[in-house]
Amino acid sequence: MKLKINKTTDNILMLYIMNISQIVLPLVLLPYLARVLSIASYGVVSYVKSIMVYSMLVIQFGFLLSGTKEVVETRNSKEKLGKVVGKITQAKLILSIPAFLILVILIFSIKILRQNPLFTVLMFIPSFLDIFIFEYLFRGLEKMNIVTIRYLISKSFSVICTFIFIKGDNQLLLIPIFDILGSFIAVLWGYQEFKKLNIKIIWDKLSNVTEALKESSLYFFSDISSTAFNALNTVCIGIFLSAKEVAFWGLILQFILAVDGLYRPLKDGVYPEMIKKRDLRLLAKVTAIFLPVVLIGCSITFFGSYWILYIVGGKKYTAASYLMKASVPLLFLLFLNSLSGWPLLGAIGKVREVTFSTVIGSIVQIIGLLILIITNHMSLFLVMVLRTISELCMLIIRLIYFDKFKNLYNKKSIAIN
């Protein structure tokens, strides 16, 4: 078997460089912030970042996936690409309005946000600037080197400034300010690369923008449902538990997201190629290569949890080692789900099925959280167990759908316009 590996391999490599950077840069910064900030202030940073995940999702509205798919299908026509970029940009600008209004309501409703309103509003600005980065375009054109270099430059700037200027709780506002400056760098860099593609943005009529929102809504509901697994947990923990427990959860969640970030290049790298080829052999090969690595990583996490937390956050965070051990089954399931969603089912057009599986998982999560709240059993350990159960439900549903539709992989690949 000879796969068209060159472009796919380069794409995955660039994605890995970016995602490793997304892991390494925060993990380099994490021990520093954990030491210079109080546990309460670190809890504020973790909590507000979790809220910003929802703002980002509302603005993106699934266009990172639906836009990537549309770019793949129209990549040979610069005029069509210009229309895709135009209507998605218009849609995101419209979506930024309710996203900000919802944030304002949350600031007045949740104590930890009400106590830090300026910090919260400043953290929203990078989500808004993401509108002008056009990542879906570069992903669809399989030019991940542009996305990767841009990310490295902008985030390195933010991290370096944090090390230089943030020395304690009184510099808390500098954290979002540096993120904003880094986002401006990303926008400027992306604009220069966009001009080189010789694509002219074509603004579309409102009816077509509305249709784009409708088509991307399935991706959005899938994304926001999966986010319920992480951000919603943090929101509930912040409401019902202490700031110290928010900090503990935030630290462990950062580790989980870092591991999940290692899985993401596999999904993002093979997704465009799976759309074109629908070749299960590529997915099987990726799984066979990385599954042993995942198992080794899970073992290291379980047996080395105390020392991992000691190195990353200091002795004051080692009390959360039990929670890191409890996260190991989740880390394994995240790997399986990263490949069973968009690369496996989304590539054969089963967007509704991927969305349904994620929605069911989020419903399990929400019902579980309600039970914990009503019965007054809210704890970090039980939330982690619930998170794992939700992920397992999602995987089971996806595997059932795969068994039902596996014959579609024998069909011809889609035609690229």
Side-chain angles (χ1 to χ4, degrees):
M1 173 191 77
K2 187 165 183 179
L3 295 170
K4 190 180 177 186
I5 284 287
N6 287 339
K7 196 169 234 184
T8 303
T9 302
D10 289 344
N11 210 29
I12 291 177
L13 178 61
M14 286 295 108
L15 279 163
Y16 250 109
I17 292 173
M18 185 177 75
N19 278 268
I20 289 173
S21 301
Q22 287 175 331
I23 295 165
V24 170
L25 292 178
L27 286 182
V28 167
L29 199 57
L30 185 59
Y32 180 75
L33 288 178
R35 285 168 171 81
V36 299
L37 298 178
S38 65
I39 290 181
S41 291
Y42 184 77
V44 169
V45 174
S46 298
Y47 194 77
V48 175
K49 283 187 175 182
S50 295
I51 295 295
M52 287 309 114
V53 170
Y54 282 107
S55 296
M56 179 67 81
L57 282 173
V58 171
I59 294 174
Q60 288 188 343
F61 207 74
F63 284 116
L64 187 58
L65 288 168
S66 66
T68 297
K69 183 175 184 295
E70 197 165 358
V71 168
V72 170
E73 295 170 345
T74 60
R75 61 189 301 164
N76 292 330
S77 171
K78 292 187 182 296
E79 182 180 353
K80 290 181 179 179
L81 287 174
K83 289 181 178 179
V84 170
V85 175
K87 68 181 179 183
I88 290 178
T89 302
Q90 288 172 268
K92 287 186 173 186
L93 287 170
I94 293 171
L95 290 166
S96 66
I97 298 173
F100 183 73
L101 292 177
I102 292 171
L103 180 64
V104 172
I105 293 171
L106 291 176
I107 290 173
F108 283 102
S109 304
I110 300 175
K111 182 179 179 181
I112 194 171
L113 300 183
R114 191 164 59 246
Q115 293 174 337
N116 301 275
L118 182 57
F119 180 84
T120 305
V121 170
L122 288 174
M123 289 288 283
F124 174 81
I125 296 176
S127 298
F128 176 78
L129 292 175
D130 182 77
I131 295 172
F132 309 102
I133 289 179
F134 312 135
E135 184 171 336
Y136 58 89
L137 174 67
F138 299 118
R139 285 179 182 267
L141 295 176
E142 297 182 273
K143 294 181 179 293
M144 285 307 304
N145 59 310
I146 295 174
V147 177
T148 300
I149 294 171
R150 179 182 61 199
Y151 176 84
L152 284 172
I153 293 175
S154 62
K155 293 303 177 184
S156 295
F157 169 84
S158 176
V159 169
I160 291 170
C161 287
T162 299
F163 273 116
I164 294 173
F165 295 105
I166 296 179
K167 304 299 180 183
D169 290 356
N170 56 339
Q171 283 97 33
L172 197 64
L173 286 177
L174 290 178
I175 294 176
I177 290 174
F178 294 147
D179 284 343
I180 292 168
L181 293 175
S183 294
F184 270 118
I185 293 173
V187 170
L188 293 174
W189 181 278
Y191 179 70
Q192 293 300 318
E193 295 296 333
F194 179 79
K195 286 177 63 177
K196 293 178 183 178
L197 295 174
N198 197 27
I199 297 173
K200 182 180 178 181
I201 297 178
I202 301 175
W203 303 114
D204 217 334
K205 54 186 179 180
L206 186 60
S207 60
N208 289 339
V209 175
T210 303
E211 184 63 27
L213 286 167
K214 181 180 177 181
E215 291 175 0
S216 192
S217 62
L218 284 173
Y219 296 90
F220 166 71
F221 285 118
S222 176
D223 282 348
I224 202 165
S225 297
S226 62
T227 302
F229 297 137
N230 293 321
L232 182 60
N233 290 335
T234 305
V235 171
C236 290
I237 289 169
I239 294 173
F240 295 100
L241 299 179
S242 67
K244 180 179 180 180
E245 287 171 302
V246 172
F248 282 173
W249 178 266
L251 193 68
I252 301 299
L253 181 60
Q254 185 69 44
F255 177 78
I256 293 171
L257 293 176
V259 174
D260 193 33
L262 287 173
Y263 303 153
R264 198 173 303 124
L266 302 178
K267 175 188 72 176
D268 294 342
V270 301
Y271 178 57
E273 192 69 15
M274 287 294 291
I275 292 174
K276 291 187 289 182
K277 299 298 182 181
R278 298 183 175 183
D279 192 344
L280 279 175
R281 294 172 297 177
L282 176 60
L283 211 55
K285 185 175 181 180
V286 168
T287 304
I289 292 172
F290 287 95
L291 184 58
V293 179
V294 171
L295 292 173
I296 293 171
C298 287
S299 299
I300 293 173
T301 301
F302 185 84
F303 293 106
S305 59
Y306 178 92
W307 292 108
I308 292 172
L309 288 173
Y310 184 84
I311 293 170
V312 172
K315 188 172 179 59
K316 60 186 176 181
Y317 286 97
T318 56
S321 61
Y322 77 96
L323 193 60
M324 178 168 280
K325 289 182 179 179
S327 72
V328 169
L330 174 61
L331 298 178
F332 179 72
L333 290 172
L334 283 171
F335 169 72
L336 298 179
N337 266 327
S338 68
L339 296 178
S340 66
W342 298 116
L344 187 64
L345 294 176
I348 55 173
K350 299 304 174 184
V351 177
R352 292 180 183 273
E353 286 74 7
V354 175
T355 302
F356 177 77
S357 68
T358 312
V359 169
I360 292 299
S362 66
I363 290 174
V364 170
Q365 181 78 22
I366 292 169
I367 292 174
L369 286 171
L370 288 174
I371 292 173
L372 292 179
I373 293 168
I374 293 171
T375 61
N376 198 28
H377 281 86
M378 177 70 73
S379 71
L380 297 183
F381 177 77
L382 290 179
V383 172
M384 184 64 73
V385 171
L386 178 60
R387 173 70 180 85
T388 304
I389 292 172
S390 302
E391 195 76 22
L392 179 60
C393 290
M394 185 167 64
L395 177 62
I396 291 172
I397 293 172
R398 289 179 176 181
L399 292 179
I400 291 172
Y401 277 129
F402 169 67
D403 184 65
K404 181 179 179 180
F405 297 112
K406 60 186 177 183
N407 63 301
L408 294 179
Y409 287 96
N410 296 322
K411 305 294 183 182
K412 294 290 186 181
S413 60
I414 65 171
I416 304 299
N417 294 328

